[in-house]
């Protein structure tokens, strides 16, 4: 009996001692616990997010990928999945699972450091405030902090913090971000099976990552579904359906996303200049002017145009070579490692050759997928399959090559292009940028060719010289001689200059309308020579060009200055909108993490303070540019698009170093450029009409669907004589003084021609015979 009482006494003494110890520990530790008042208004670090105008995310910048989601917006099935595996008694206990704490303490007595049975509140305490250290001291702090959290916050507040704060792999914090990362969908749309997969991540985001470890992730998902059924969160039938559901994990780099990396980076730079380091933690949402559909179509059109050109180039050989071990498993491992170092570039995929002959290539892609290339699919790389191919060109086992699917669903060999390109489209009525592709691939080359590439515009610059000429008395009917020109060193101050037309020939006298649609260089030079290079230089600034980038020399008539694609689409927008200068803009709105609008861009309505050129100048130029797209160097545009309201001009620089097409429909203007970053010839037969125009057409085919045909109405100050447009003052002699239809019997403006600059340029009445024309233009 005495022994029994003594034992009880010892136990009681031990308990009292433990209570005193805990009381002392609490007295010492509690004041040192962190202040948790900020958690009542939980605002974690949130990244900068960039969206299209229709709400599609195109970029995210910040250390932590997180989307703050209030607890009442988290679907019940997601909460149930988390509670089933992490803390089924969350709403009934006081924050600490005492049996779990005992188990953790016993585990810590040995070498093991496992800490099972942590409640959700304990995990919040650990993840928000404490380090990852495993020790008794930290465990005591964790328990004390858990009590403090339970005392200060509601259960829903704690659960909301947990579901937004927890790290779930792939830079994703919180279940909303993880849902987008792994499934490409908002959290509100997840199924039971998807919720169970996500709920398995907190324990070990790397081990149970469905991208990196799909087998282990599936095993844990099935266990969580079982736990959900056991806890009554789902029925047996729902559990069966969830177990059988096939999940679609976002494993590829594209995964159906809108490619707008150049836009996102531009926005990041603009926002950082305003908000500094807060840009990456404040949860700002930036809505751009882009249309997601237009952006996607532009991306595909530019890549297709570049790859169509690439197919005509010499095969440069495999990207690298690897040794293939004799052991099959080691071979697969070596191939996977090589492919990981050279990932797919969109639809241009990487593969390692297993077998190669002039008639067949067998290659392996990721996940041991084998592809066979035969017939036409080998044509782009014939030089690499020849017996005499050099060692760096020869396609042989171990060669890392690029492959792509053809429209016939067969494989073809290809290569990553060296050539670059740019595409930009904007609404000419207000300057809103609708699509912007700064290059073939942002990962490969981050240089934004739309805004940073200063290139020669070639013949696509001629319309601005023609526009200047209209103000100096020229009309579309003015006849100019397409004949040889020669400028000796005394005139040029340097090397002699003998400009040529693209085809090397000359066609003699022709109207300005004909000269522009045929892109005659000699006519453009004679026009600029007549109006004066200095005047031409000053005039082009009305369209947004920099005077110092276009020296006042006659070469300006051929587009020898420097422009960016953004400048070109802005300049052509002046023609498209009736003569107004609009500034391109990209950011429509910025909001904070709670949706409060911080900035909103509202472009002004077109008004006279924005006028760059007279409305009648724009109208006559539209008529000339429409002719180019109907029957000139860009005739393919109207032919393919099957609509008359298409306007534009091709451009090809000397030696085909740069190719352009810039054009518009009254509601949408776009510019396309192609060339090498280090300028070199694209090829003797490569032109703006052959390279850049098809890209523009492919984009407009989609972008103009459902857009009604628009016809420009003649402004004040122009008149139509015999099917040609003139300024009023050049038609008064024919009895016309205001806008209107031709009176019966009226003819072209014969009595008020512009001055004849030395016989080189002359207005001729339609009745003159061909012989007289030729006599006037004899050299």
């Amino acid at each position: 009996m005495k022994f029994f009482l003594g034992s009880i006494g010892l136990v009681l003494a031990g308990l009292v001692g433990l209570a005193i110890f805990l009381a002392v520990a609490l007295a010492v530790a509690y004041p040192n616990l962190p202040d948790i008042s900020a958690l009542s208004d939980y605002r974690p670090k949130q990244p900068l997010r960039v969206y299209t105008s229709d709400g599609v995310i195109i970029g995210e910048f910040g250390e932590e990928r997180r989307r703050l989601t209030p607890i009442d917006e988290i679907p019940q099935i997601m909460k149930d999945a988390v509670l089933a595996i992490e803390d089924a008694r969350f709403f009934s206990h006081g924050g600490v699972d005492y049996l779990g704490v005992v188990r953790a303490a016993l585990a810590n007595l040995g070498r093991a450091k496992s800490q099972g049975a942590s409640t959700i509140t304990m995990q919040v305490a650990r993840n928000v405030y404490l380090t990852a250290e495993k020790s008794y001291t930290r465990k005591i702090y964790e328990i004390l902090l858990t009590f403090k959290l339970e005392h200060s916050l509601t259960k829903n507040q704690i659960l909301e913090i947990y579901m937004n704060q927890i790290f779930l792999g792939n830079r994703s914090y919180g279940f909303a971000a993880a849902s987008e990362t792994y499934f490409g969908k908002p959290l509100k749309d997840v199924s039971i099976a998807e919720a169970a997969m996500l709920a398995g991540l907190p324990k070990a985001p790397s081990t149970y990552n469905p991208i990196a470890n799909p087998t282990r992730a599936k095993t844990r998902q099935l266990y969580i579904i079982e736990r959900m059924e056991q806890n009554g969160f789902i029925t047996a039938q729902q559990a069966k359906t969830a177990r059988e559901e096939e999940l679609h994990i976002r494993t590829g780099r594209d995964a159906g996303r809108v490619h707008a990396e150049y836009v996102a980076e531009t926005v990041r730079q603009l926002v950082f200049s305003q908000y500094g380091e807060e840009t990456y933690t404040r949860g700002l949402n930036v809505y751009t002017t882009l249309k997601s559909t237009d952006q996607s179509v532009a991306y595909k059109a530019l890549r297709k145009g570049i790859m169509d050109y690439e197919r005509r180039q010499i095969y440069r050989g495999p990207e690298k070579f690897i040794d293939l071990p004799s052991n099959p498993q080691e071979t697969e491992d070596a191939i996977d490692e090589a492919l990981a170092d050279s990932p797919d570039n969109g639809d241009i995929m990487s593969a390692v050759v297993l077998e190669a002959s002039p008639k067949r290539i067998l290659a392996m892609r990721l996940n041991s997928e084998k592809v066979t290339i035969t017939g036409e699919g080998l044509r782009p790389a014939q030089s690499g399959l020849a017996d005499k191919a050099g060692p760096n060109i020869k396609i042989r086992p171990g060669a890392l090559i690029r492959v792509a699917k053809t429209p016939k669903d067969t494989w073809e060999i290809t290569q990553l292009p060296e050539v670059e390109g740019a595409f930009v489209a904007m609404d000419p009525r207000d300057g809103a940028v609708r699509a912007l592709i700064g290059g073939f691939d942002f990962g490969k080359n981050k240089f934004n060719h739309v805004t940073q590439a200063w290139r020669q515009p070639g013949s696509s610059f001629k319309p601005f010289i023609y526009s200047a000429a209209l103000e100096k008395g020229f009309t579309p009917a003015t006849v100019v001689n397409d004949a040889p020109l020669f400028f000796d060193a005394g005139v040029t101050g340097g090397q002699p200059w003998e400009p040529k037309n693209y085809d090397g020939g000359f066609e003699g006298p022709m109207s300005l309308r004909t000269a522009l649609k045929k892109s005659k260089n000699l006519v453009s030079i004679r026009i600029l020579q007549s109006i004066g290079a200095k005047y031409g230089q000053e005039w082009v600034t009305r369209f947004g060009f920099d005077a110092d980038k276009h020296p006042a020399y006659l070469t300006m008539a051929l587009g020898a200055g420097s422009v960016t694609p953004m400048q070109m689409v802005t300049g052509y927008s002046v023609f498209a909108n009736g003569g107004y200068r609009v500034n391109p803009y990209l950011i429509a709105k910025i909001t904070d993490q709670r949706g409060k609008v911080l900035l909103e861009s509202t472009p002004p309505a077109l008004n006279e303070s924005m006028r760059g050129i007279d409305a009648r100048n724009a109208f006559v130029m539209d008529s000339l540019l429409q002719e180019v797209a109907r029957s000139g160097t860009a005739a393919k545009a109207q032919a393919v698009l099957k609509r008359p309201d298409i306007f534009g001009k091709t451009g090809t620089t000397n030696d085909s170093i740069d190719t352009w097409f810039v054009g518009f429909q009254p509601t949408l203007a776009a510019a396309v450029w192609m060339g090498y970053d280090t300028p070199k010839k694209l090829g003797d037969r490569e032109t703006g009409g052959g390279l850049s125009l098809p890209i523009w057409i492919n984009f407009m085919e989609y972008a103009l669907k459902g857009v009604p045909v628009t016809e420009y109405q003649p402004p004040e100050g122009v008149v139509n004589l015999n099917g040609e447009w003139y300024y009023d003052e050049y038609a008064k002699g024919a009895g016309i003084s205001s806008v209107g239809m031709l009176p019966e019997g009226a003819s072209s403006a014969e009595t008020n021609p512009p001055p004849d600059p030395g016989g080189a340029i002359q207005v001729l009445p339609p009745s003159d015979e061909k012989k007289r024309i030729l006599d006037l233009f004899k050299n």
Side-chain angles (χ1 to χ4, degrees):
M1 186 69 178
K2 290 182 179 180
F3 175 76
F4 177 71
L5 292 175
S7 298
I8 292 177
L10 288 174
V11 170
L12 290 174
L15 291 175
V16 171
L18 178 62
I20 293 172
F21 172 77
L22 291 176
V24 172
L26 182 63
V28 173
Y30 201 85
N32 295 322
L33 293 176
D35 181 14
I36 64 171
S37 58
L39 284 184
S40 60
D41 185 23
Y42 175 62
R43 295 189 182 186
K45 290 181 181 179
Q46 292 195 73
L48 166 70
R49 290 188 178 90
V50 186
Y51 298 88
T52 61
S53 61
D54 46 338
V56 177
I57 190 164
I58 57 174
E60 196 169 51
F61 301 92
E63 292 180 8
E64 300 177 0
R65 183 182 289 135
R66 180 186 281 111
R67 183 178 294 278
L68 184 60
T69 307
I71 190 66
D72 55 358
E73 294 180 18
I74 298 174
Q76 188 62 45
I77 196 64
M78 188 69 251
K79 290 183 279 190
D80 289 344
V82 169
L83 293 175
I85 192 63
E86 293 294 331
D87 193 354
R89 295 177 52 252
F90 173 71
F91 284 100
S92 59
H93 64 59
V96 177
D97 181 345
Y98 295 103
L99 291 177
V101 172
V102 171
R103 284 197 302 270
L106 292 175
N108 280 339
L109 288 175
R111 297 270 180 167
K113 292 280 189 170
S114 173
Q115 293 191 27
S118 287
T119 65
I120 282 177
T121 310
M122 293 169 74
Q123 291 184 58
V124 169
R126 181 167 63 245
N127 291 327
V128 176
Y129 290 109
L130 302 176
T131 67
E133 174 196 3
K134 294 182 179 181
S135 67
Y136 291 115
T137 302
R138 201 220 60 170
K139 194 66 180 178
I140 291 172
Y141 271 96
E142 182 180 308
I143 293 171
L144 294 177
L145 188 54
T146 296
F147 289 143
K148 191 171 184 179
L149 287 171
E150 289 277 348
H151 177 74
S152 303
L153 303 176
T154 66
K155 286 287 188 179
N156 272 338
Q157 283 178 310
I158 294 170
L159 187 59
E160 177 181 298
I161 295 168
Y162 175 82
M163 300 198 74
N164 282 284
Q165 183 72 21
I166 194 76
F167 176 63
L168 299 173
N170 285 56
R171 288 182 51 236
S172 298
Y173 289 78
F175 288 92
S179 177
E180 294 178 351
T181 297
Y182 296 111
F183 300 119
K185 61 169 62 175
L187 186 60
K188 64 182 179 65
D189 295 334
V190 297
S191 64
I192 294 174
E194 290 167 335
M197 181 69 78
L198 294 175
L201 290 165
K203 182 176 181 180
S206 177
T207 303
Y208 299 116
N209 186 312
I211 296 175
N213 292 297
T215 302
R216 289 184 179 181
K218 181 66 178 177
T219 300
R220 184 155 177 81
Q221 178 222 28
L222 294 175
Y223 173 63
I224 293 173
I225 292 172
E226 180 183 337
R227 292 278 297 165
M228 293 176 73
E229 182 183 357
Q230 290 173 351
N231 282 279
F233 291 131
I234 58 175
T235 66
Q237 182 58 46
Q238 286 176 315
K240 180 177 182 296
T241 302
R243 281 191 288 267
E244 295 173 352
E245 181 179 331
E246 182 181 352
L247 300 185
H248 301 284
I249 308 296
R250 288 181 65 177
T251 56
R253 57 174 290 185
D254 291 332
R257 65 192 172 100
V258 174
H259 284 275
E261 295 87 348
Y262 291 97
V263 173
E265 172 58 18
T266 299
V267 169
R268 182 197 68 78
Q269 293 175 19
L270 292 171
V271 175
F272 185 82
S273 68
Q274 176 72 27
Y275 294 99
E277 290 298 330
E278 280 192 341
T279 298
Y280 309 119
T281 60
R282 191 172 169 180
L284 299 174
N285 299 300
V286 181
Y287 295 87
T288 66
T289 57
L290 295 187
K291 290 178 65 176
S292 62
T293 51
D294 286 357
Q295 180 71 16
S296 292
V297 171
Y299 174 80
K300 293 174 183 176
L302 182 65
R303 283 177 69 95
K304 181 181 184 301
I306 289 176
M307 291 310 296
D308 286 346
Y309 168 80
E310 189 59 45
R311 288 186 184 91
R312 300 193 293 272
Q313 308 312 302
I314 296 173
Y315 186 61
R316 295 183 292 275
E319 292 183 20
K320 63 181 179 181
F321 299 90
I322 66 170
D323 294 325
L324 297 180
S326 57
N327 181 284
Q329 184 57 53
E330 291 179 359
T331 296
E332 288 188 16
D333 292 343
I335 290 175
D336 285 345
E337 184 178 345
L339 296 179
D341 292 338
S342 301
D344 294 346
N345 187 303
D347 52 358
I348 304 171
M349 294 168 272
S350 54
V352 173
V353 174
L354 300 176
E355 301 172 11
S357 72
K359 293 186 177 181
R360 178 177 177 269
I361 290 177
L362 177 65
M364 181 179 286
R365 293 203 1 87
L366 279 173
N367 300 318
S368 303
E369 177 191 2
K370 291 184 178 180
V371 300
T372 302
I373 310 168
T374 59
E376 287 297 309
L378 298 173
R379 185 180 295 276
Q382 280 298 317
S383 60
L385 294 168
D387 291 336
K388 296 182 180 180
N392 293 330
I393 304 296
K394 184 72 173 177
I395 298 175
R396 59 183 186 271
L400 192 146
I401 61 173
R402 294 285 170 167
V403 297
K405 275 291 186 73
T406 69
K408 296 180 180 179
D409 201 33
T410 60
W411 290 97
E412 71 173 357
I413 191 167
T414 186
Q415 57 189 345
L416 288 174
E418 293 182 342
V419 73
E420 273 293 354
F423 180 96
V424 58
M426 65 179 268
D427 188 330
R429 299 165 297 181
D430 61 9
V433 176
R434 296 304 183 196
L436 189 156
I437 314 296
F440 179 79
D441 179 65
F442 183 77
K444 174 172 167 274
N445 185 351
K446 293 178 172 55
F447 185 76
N448 190 337
H449 296 84
V450 168
T451 58
Q452 296 176 293
W454 290 92
R455 308 294 293 218
Q456 290 188 340
S459 296
S460 63
F461 199 73
K462 289 175 181 175
F464 305 111
I465 304 303
Y466 277 62
S467 170
L470 294 179
E471 300 304 308
K472 288 291 189 178
F474 286 77
T475 76
T478 301
V479 176
V480 182
N481 195 13
D482 176 32
L485 282 169
F486 178 79
F487 301 91
D488 60 28
V491 174
T492 64
Q495 296 295 318
W497 183 43
E498 188 175 8
K500 305 283 187 184
N501 286 320
Y502 174 76
D503 60 6
F506 309 96
E507 295 187 38
M510 61 180 62
S511 68
L512 260 66
R513 179 176 294 276
T514 299
L516 186 62
K517 80 174 186 178
K518 291 187 173 184
S519 199
K520 292 296 185 177
N521 292 339
L522 281 303
V523 172
S524 295
I525 293 170
R526 282 189 164 93
I527 292 173
L528 186 58
Q529 190 178 28
S530 175
I531 66 175
K534 186 64 178 175
Y535 177 76
Q537 181 192 43
E538 293 171 353
W539 184 261
V540 301
T541 62
R542 293 169 174 261
F543 298 87
F545 297 108
D546 305 316
D548 61 342
K549 298 284 187 181
H550 301 274
Y553 302 124
L554 292 181
T555 51
M556 181 171 57
L558 306 184
S562 296
V563 300
T564 65
M566 183 65 85
Q567 282 188 327
M568 289 298 285
V569 75
T570 303
Y572 271 69
S573 291
V574 177
F575 294 137
N577 64 28
Y580 299 97
R581 268 281 299 281
V582 294
N583 293 317
Y585 73 102
L586 197 55
I587 295 177
K589 182 173 66 174
I590 299 178
T591 69
D592 66 13
Q593 59 183 338
R594 299 189 182 278
K596 179 183 177 182
V597 176
L598 304 177
L599 178 149
E600 194 159 13
S601 300
T602 305
L606 297 177
N607 60 79
E608 290 306 305
S609 69
M610 303 163 64
R611 183 163 292 286
I613 61 174
D614 199 55
R616 63 181 185 171
N617 187 299
F619 179 80
V620 174
M621 286 305 305
D622 292 341
S623 171
L624 294 177
L625 292 169
Q626 188 178 37
E627 192 66 47
V628 175
R630 178 168 51 230
S631 63
T633 57
K636 187 178 180 181
Q638 287 195 20
V640 174
L641 296 175
K642 294 180 172 58
R643 53 189 301 156
D645 57 342
I646 299 297
F647 313 77
K649 181 71 183 72
T650 54
T652 309
T653 62
N654 271 356
D655 297 323
S656 296
I657 288 175
D658 299 274
T659 68
W660 294 81
F661 183 76
V662 192
F664 56 90
Q665 189 271 348
T667 64
L668 190 63
V672 182
W673 165 84
M674 273 185 66
Y676 289 96
D677 280 339
T678 301
K680 66 177 182 178
K681 291 179 66 171
L682 288 162
D684 291 336
R685 296 181 178 273
E686 305 294 356
T687 65
L691 285 182
S692 298
L693 177 59
I695 296 170
W696 191 92
I697 291 173
N698 285 345
F699 170 79
M700 287 294 181
E701 274 188 298
Y702 178 88
L704 295 181
K705 279 183 180 178
V707 177
V709 172
T710 303
E711 183 178 349
Y712 287 118
Q713 296 303 310
E716 292 290 332
V718 296
V719 63
N720 191 291
L721 301 175
N722 289 344
E724 189 56 271
W725 292 101
Y726 298 86
Y727 281 7
D728 237 7
E729 55 267 34
Y730 302 133
K732 290 178 181 177
I736 306 298
S737 59
S738 61
V739 175
M741 296 298 292
L742 272 173
E744 189 174 349
S747 60
S748 60
E750 302 177 12
T751 57
N752 287 299
D756 177 12
I761 302 173
Q762 177 72 40
V763 171
L764 300 173
S767 59
D768 280 358
E769 298 177 358
K770 183 176 181 181
K771 181 178 182 300
R772 181 185 169 194
I773 296 175
L774 293 175
D775 287 343
L776 280 168
F777 289 87
K778 285 180 180 177
N779 292 320

